[in-house]
Amino acid sequence: MTTTTAHSPSANINWLLLLLKARTFVALILVFTYFAFAAPNFLSVANAVLISKHVAINAFLAIGMTFVIITGGIDLSVGSVVGLTSMIAGYLVLNGIDPGFGWSIQFNTVEIMVMVCFVGVFVGWINGILITRLNVAPFIATLGMLYMARGAALLMSGGRTFPNLNGSAEYGSASFPLIGAGSFLGIPVMIWMLIIVTLASVYIARRTPLGRHIYATGGNERGAALSGVRVRRVKMFVYMFSGLMAALVGLIIASQLKAAHPATGEFFELNAIAAAVLGGTSMSGGRGRIMGTIIGAFVIGILSDGLIMMGVSSFWQMVIKGLVIVTAVVIDQAQSRLQARVALTQEAGS
Amino acid sequence: MTGKHPIGLTIRNAVKVYPGTRALKNVNFDIRMGAVNVLVGENGAGKSTLMKVISGVETLTEGEIAVDGTPVQFRNKDDAVRAGIGIVFQELNLFPDLSVSENIFIGREPTRLGLHIDMRDQATRSRDILTRLEQDIDPDTPLGFLRLGQQQVVEIAKALAQDAKILILDEPTSALSAVEVEVLFRVIAELRSQGVGIVYISHRLEELIRIGDYITVLRDGEVTGTRSMDGVDVPWIVEAMIGGEAKDFAAPIAHQIGDEVFRAEDVALAKMGGGYSVDHVSFSANAGEILGIYGLMGAGRTELLECIIGRHPEAQGHYFIKGEELRSTSIADRISHGIALVPEDRKVDGLIQMMAIRENLTLSSLKEFTRFMHLSLSREAQRAAEFISRLTIKVASAENPVSSLSGGNQQKVAIGKALMTKPSVLLLDEPSRGIDVGAKAEIYRVMRELSAQGIGIVFATSEIEEAMALSDRIIVMADGRITGVFDKSTPVAQVVAAASPGTSSVEGSAA
């Protein structure tokens, strides 16, 4: 029984399994190689920076989404929270807070960032309370939040854009545009942020009890609870973290465009889900990896930018994107079946 | 044998193999028409497997089934239904928001043009069947409005609507009140007189003797007795169920039983729809003692243990560890104060099937390997390996998913997880359920060792043999109450008697 499975019935199956497991990575290489040949200028440095900026926006949200989905939930509100937080960022840069006594409080860049992030976390907290305390299904709770946050974003300006977010040197917010547009050591600041967030997330997932509890909660909530996992806290964390990610994206977009528009972030939640699923996250919970999600985000990003560069119509782009996502899940199912079969033959052999 | 009860279905040399266990070994079984064929045996004896095979849910590994003398092969449930076999599972498969008649015809609605459901026809036919069962139930009532006993009758009606000539009832009375049981028995008698062959599975032995015409006893996948019910009494059934040769219960390891480590006072858990599933129960457990909680289905054993671990925040009760009262109701806090539970259902409650063996073992004790936020994977792996060898869990690699293990080894992982929290009292709910004989013996050995190390062990079981052989003291529960506390030397019959629902409290000879 303790023998290894070196003499497994067929080495081919093991190879196939390995290939299927690494499918997102294989897809990335395929997509990348294809466009390197097919699209002119695809391999330029400028293009690489551009693509990675596009990918980063989605990757932040997708990381938050991955944690949420691993617990067996979903967060549909992130796109709207991006809109809301970018509007709040815009409002704070332009107006500060006006308590109504004829004077106003102005903030520097760091203070604005902290306040915006707090709003994102707070929205996530409300999602978490709805889900863990009031027993609203995650789909419904965050769907409600999708509408509420979008509505709040529109109400802030009556639907108008906050333009010219250049900040002011007087108040210390002149560095606001650097969040999305600045660079450090030749690499955009937002990419540095993504690297830090990714490393921290991988660390949380792999090397902390919290990460283990996230997987356990999604794998079997009742079992996890009976093992002493504080399931409610775990869920609160993932929704608050997802809110934080949305706030970061809101800040980045407002800073990049030097403007905040209330419609920012529409359908971002769907792209985030797509990246997570493409990266091998199971919608039923318990399974998924941060690095898989990052690769998934790159596949989607490279696919859409590459298709644009090739001049493929945006209508076709949507069709292709949809096909890729569905194919990924079909392969995912095939892999689970194959894996179950291999496990059974191992069991019978032992 | 007897001409008045022709044999409707026979099963010969039936073998059913699951990965890791042989659930049926050469079983021969006849179902006689116009009679109640009783099937009895301990949990894991193979009753459910046999019924699943007959109702087409599972297929036989070897052996044959014949209906009215013609060999048949049931590839799925529909094949069995077509052959006239209906089954009413222990858990009802009904839709509370649909009407009675809709429930009866679910999936087979009478239609016009294959599209439009003929409600009137459906209602008429439902009424006919319910009249045949002598039940005054309006077919248009939403099912959820009916009492549990009536719902059971609807489930029977559903089987009859499919022209079932053979009706299998799997523990139909486990959730019923005494009055509802009487109603069910009248229905059964009525069906029997109409020539229906009934297979009746139950743990309540008196009930079996009262209603049965023929009895078949299963033990460890083999038939150990089959005869007409004439002259059968409880001792005969118990003998056939448990058998002459004793199972390997592992010899007790000599040690002192210490002071009280755990006490529960006035534990009460209200049931939905009134009454209590745990009815103000108090007991205590000592260090190094094995305390058995014996009771039938629905006696409240599982619920009691769940209350202790904190699964039901709404439950009342006071708990003391070494004399100190626990204030917090959260499971995590109870665990950190020295209570650990190995739940009855490994799949749903005990383990995270998709996670690795290592991750399951350490799930409750991650704190031990954590500084600030950092989890030391190397120390975790080391500790997991230590428990794997200590409990002799057979694994190819600790990184394999726990679902790849056999039932017995999974149970050891669940026990290992609980032990790693260094509990003062270990609660085990049906620790030997669904695992084979060899693995059972090992689980018993582990329990003995742990008690010798001074851990208080409280285990719930529905197997009288297990309760008698392992326990230092036995608490018997029925209807959510403690109906007796017995010494291990008490005669079996006395303990069994206390477990019958409806008995008033019997105080044990020595408590």
Side-chain angles (χ1 to χ4, degrees):
Chain A
M1 298 239 195
T2 44
T3 53
T4 57
T5 51
H7 315 288
S8 92
S10 93
N12 287 339
I13 287 195
N14 284 338
W15 265 106
L16 186 61
L17 212 72
L18 194 72
L19 207 64
L20 286 177
K21 269 185 188 164
R23 66 189 172 281
T24 332
F25 199 64
V26 174
L28 180 65
I29 292 170
L30 286 179
V31 172
F32 188 84
T33 335
Y34 176 73
F35 287 121
F37 285 104
N41 298 330
F42 182 80
L43 282 179
S44 69
V45 174
N47 187 50
V49 171
L50 192 71
I51 289 185
S52 57
K53 278 183 161 181
H54 287 169
V55 169
I57 296 287
N58 188 18
F60 279 113
L61 300 178
I63 289 173
M65 191 67 78
T66 303
F67 278 131
V68 172
I69 295 179
I70 290 174
T71 64
I74 191 92
D75 188 352
L76 298 179
S77 68
V78 288
S80 297
V81 177
V82 167
L84 176 64
T85 50
S86 73
M87 287 303 284
I88 288 173
Y91 184 87
L92 289 175
V93 170
L94 283 186
N95 307 326
I97 290 177
D98 184 352
F101 304 120
W103 44 269
S104 64
I105 312 167
Q106 299 293 335
F107 303 98
N108 68 27
T109 307
V110 173
E111 286 163 353
I112 291 172
M113 287 179 76
V114 169
M115 290 167 76
V116 170
C117 287
F118 178 81
V119 171
V121 171
F122 178 70
V123 173
W125 183 81
I126 297 177
N127 280 334
I129 291 293
L130 287 172
I131 291 160
T132 59
R133 297 284 161 176
L134 303 173
N135 287 327
V136 182
F139 191 98
I140 305 298
T142 58
L143 180 68
M145 188 53 78
L146 179 154
Y147 287 112
M148 287 188 278
R150 181 67 67 202
L154 287 160
L155 283 170
M156 284 194 66
S157 65
R160 285 189 307 276
T161 302
F162 289 136
N164 304 323
L165 305 179
N166 294 314
S168 86
E170 191 187 339
Y171 303 129
S173 60
S175 53
F176 183 75
L178 291 180
I179 304 169
S183 63
F184 176 68
L185 298 178
I187 294 174
V189 170
M190 56 184 287
I191 300 299
W192 284 114
M193 286 166 67
L194 179 64
I195 291 171
I196 293 168
V197 166
T198 304
L199 291 178
S201 302
V202 171
Y203 183 79
I204 289 174
R206 297 264 135 219
R207 302 298 299 259
T208 67
L210 173 63
R212 193 66 64 74
H213 290 172
I214 290 173
Y215 283 94
T217 300
N220 176 357
E221 190 172 331
R222 283 173 59 168
L226 277 178
S227 303
V229 174
R230 298 177 195 266
V231 170
R232 280 178 175 168
R233 278 192 207 173
V234 168
K235 288 188 178 175
M236 290 301 292
F237 170 81
V238 296
Y239 289 98
M240 286 160 74
F241 188 79
S242 180
L244 176 66
M245 293 298 107
L248 287 182
V249 172
L251 275 170
I252 289 169
I253 292 180
S255 158
Q256 237 173 18
L257 303 176
K258 293 185 195 165
H261 184 66
T264 304
E266 276 178 345
F267 300 118
F268 278 19
E269 61 279 350
L270 299 185
N271 280 328
I273 295 169
V277 168
L278 207 55
T281 310
S282 158
M283 289 301 286
S284 46
R287 210 153 52 82
R289 295 173 55 211
I290 301 298
M291 283 319 288
T293 296
I294 297 287
I295 296 173
F298 267 95
V299 171
I300 291 180
I302 291 178
L303 196 65
S304 41
D305 282 17
L307 289 172
I308 292 170
M309 291 174 76
M310 284 177 67
V312 177
S313 95
S314 64
F315 306 152
W316 274 111
Q317 285 179 39
M318 291 177 83
V319 173
I320 292 168
K321 218 152 102 180
L323 275 175
V324 168
I325 292 164
V326 173
T327 311
V329 176
V330 171
I331 295 174
D332 191 53
Q333 291 300 323
Q335 184 211 329
S336 329
R337 269 201 302 275
L338 193 66
Q339 210 153 22
R341 229 174 56 203
V342 170
L344 260 181
T345 51
Q346 279 180 4
E347 172 92 5
S350 68
Chain B
M1 281 178 266
T2 36
K4 80 178 167 173
H5 295 142
I7 292 173
L9 182 145
T10 57
I11 185 160
R12 285 286 167 270
N13 306 319
V15 175
K16 176 72 192 177
V17 179
Y18 289 113
T21 47
R22 287 168 89 82
L24 296 177
K25 307 163 188 165
N26 263 325
V27 168
N28 296 323
F29 181 58
D30 298 324
I31 298 177
R32 290 165 191 278
M33 305 307 284
V36 176
N37 305 264
V38 158
L39 189 61
V40 64
E42 293 193 307
N43 290 321
K47 290 168 305 192
S48 299
T49 309
L50 184 58
M51 289 309 109
K52 280 181 186 163
V53 165
I54 291 176
S55 58
V57 178
E58 300 266 9
T59 50
L60 277 177
T61 314
E62 283 167 42
E64 53 195 46
I65 305 176
V67 173
D68 295 331
T70 341
V72 287
Q73 277 220 307
F74 298 149
R75 280 155 308 171
N76 52 42
K77 202 162 178 258
D78 293 342
D79 285 354
V81 168
R82 235 168 280 135
I85 293 161
I87 182 160
V88 177
F89 288 107
Q90 202 173 338
E91 307 287 330
L92 301 179
N93 294 306
L94 296 169
F95 304 86
D97 296 323
L98 298 182
S99 76
V100 168
S101 61
E102 279 166 333
N103 267 291
I104 292 178
F105 286 97
I106 192 88
R108 298 161 290 102
E109 293 81 0
T111 53
R112 276 187 227 134
L113 305 174
L115 189 70
H116 178 79
I117 297 182
D118 190 342
M119 294 293 227
R120 198 175 307 156
D121 183 35
Q122 192 170 274
T124 324
R125 283 163 64 185
S126 300
R127 201 164 284 124
D128 287 350
I129 297 166
L130 290 170
T131 320
R132 181 177 158 200
L133 295 172
E134 298 184 342
Q135 290 298 304
D136 186 20
I137 300 172
D138 180 1
D140 294 328
T141 333
L143 182 101
F145 287 17
L146 301 182
R147 278 178 288 113
L148 203 56
Q150 290 179 310
Q151 293 190 13
Q152 192 117 38
V153 171
V154 171
E155 188 80 88
I156 293 173
K158 196 166 127 188
L160 293 180
Q162 301 175 68
D163 296 322
K165 290 187 286 290
I166 290 171
L167 187 63
I168 302 167
L169 302 172
D170 191 358
E171 297 220 31
T173 54
S174 59
L176 301 189
S177 70
V179 182
E180 289 171 331
V181 169
E182 288 310 313
V183 172
L184 180 73
F185 279 11
R186 273 208 305 281
V187 169
I188 289 175
E190 181 62 35
L191 290 174
R192 173 168 59 180
S193 70
Q194 291 168 10
V196 176
I198 291 163
V199 180
Y200 191 90
I201 302 173
S202 179
H203 281 295
R204 302 186 179 181
L205 306 184
E206 281 85 3
E207 200 175 282
L208 297 178
I209 292 172
R210 197 184 129 196
I211 194 161
D213 298 306
Y214 299 91
I215 182 165
T216 303
V217 187
L218 277 175
R219 185 192 342 139
D220 295 331
E222 286 173 279
V223 173
T224 51
T226 177
R227 60 182 283 187
S228 142
M229 195 57 94
D230 297 332
V232 168
D233 53 10
V234 172
W236 183 87
I237 300 178
V238 172
E239 166 75 21
M241 271 168 68
I242 296 177
E245 89 263 39
K247 282 184 198 161
D248 183 2
F249 279 107
I253 302 164
H255 66 280
Q256 282 292 313
I257 289 181
D259 296 335
E260 173 191 293
V261 280
F262 173 76
R263 185 165 86 247
E265 276 181 10
D266 207 26
V267 181
L269 178 67
K271 216 188 315 198
M272 286 248 276
Y276 289 95
S277 31
V278 179
D279 196 354
H280 303 90
V281 166
S282 303
F283 73 93
S284 66
N286 301 323
E289 181 187 41
I290 299 183
L291 177 64
I293 301 180
Y294 171 72
L296 300 175
M297 270 279 306
R301 291 166 285 135
T302 299
E303 291 79 0
L304 173 61
L305 296 188
E306 285 178 353
C307 286
I308 296 172
I309 196 73
R311 171 84 173 269
H312 304 287
E314 72 279 14
Q316 312 167 26
H318 301 278
Y319 308 98
F320 302 84
I321 287 281
K322 294 177 179 152
E324 214 174 300
E325 180 163 9
L326 294 181
R327 295 282 170 197
S328 169
T329 54
S330 91
I331 298 176
D333 280 337
R334 298 246 166 111
I335 290 175
S336 65
H337 279 93
I339 303 180
L341 170 69
V342 178
E344 176 177 7
D345 191 332
R346 288 185 295 274
K347 271 215 167 65
V348 183
D349 294 328
L351 298 170
I352 319 285
Q353 292 287 332
M354 57 170 67
M355 286 177 100
I357 296 158
R358 164 181 56 84
E359 291 170 318
N360 270 289
L361 274 169
T362 58
L363 186 58
S364 296
S365 4
L366 289 174
K367 255 188 219 156
E368 200 183 315
F369 323 109
T370 308
R371 252 186 229 148
F372 302 111
M373 283 283 283
H374 183 78
L375 186 63
S376 166
L377 293 185
S378 58
R379 280 203 295 151
E380 185 203 4
Q382 199 187 332
R383 197 95 167 99
E386 192 186 312
F387 271 76
I388 287 171
S389 71
R390 180 167 151 200
L391 296 171
T392 57
I393 308 173
K394 287 174 191 133
V395 299
S397 154
E399 299 308 310
N400 282 348
V402 79
S403 55
S404 68
L405 297 180
S406 67
N409 280 311
Q410 284 195 20
Q411 184 69 322
K412 286 190 194 167
V413 173
I415 293 177
K417 180 177 72 176
L419 277 186
M420 212 181 272
T421 65
K422 306 196 183 86
S424 318
V425 58
L426 178 64
L427 314 172
L428 299 144
D429 196 358
E430 295 277 2
S432 70
R433 166 157 298 175
I435 59 182
D436 62 35
V437 185
K440 275 185 189 185
E442 286 208 51
I443 299 287
Y444 299 147
R445 178 182 58 79
V446 168
M447 286 168 67
R448 295 272 194 220
E449 282 172 9
L450 294 174
S451 72
Q453 289 161 22
I455 296 177
I457 293 188
V458 178
F459 81 106
T461 181
S462 57
E463 291 184 34
I464 184 64
E465 187 190 13
E466 197 173 275
M468 298 304 295
L470 280 176
S471 315
D472 295 315
R473 261 189 320 146
I474 302 155
I475 289 178
V476 178
M477 285 186 76
D479 298 330
R481 286 175 297 115
I482 291 183
T483 51
V485 182
F486 299 95
D487 193 70
K488 60 183 160 190
S489 54
T490 315
V492 185
Q494 204 179 331
V495 179
V496 172
S500 288
T503 48
S504 54
S505 198
V506 201
E507 228 19 75
S509 46

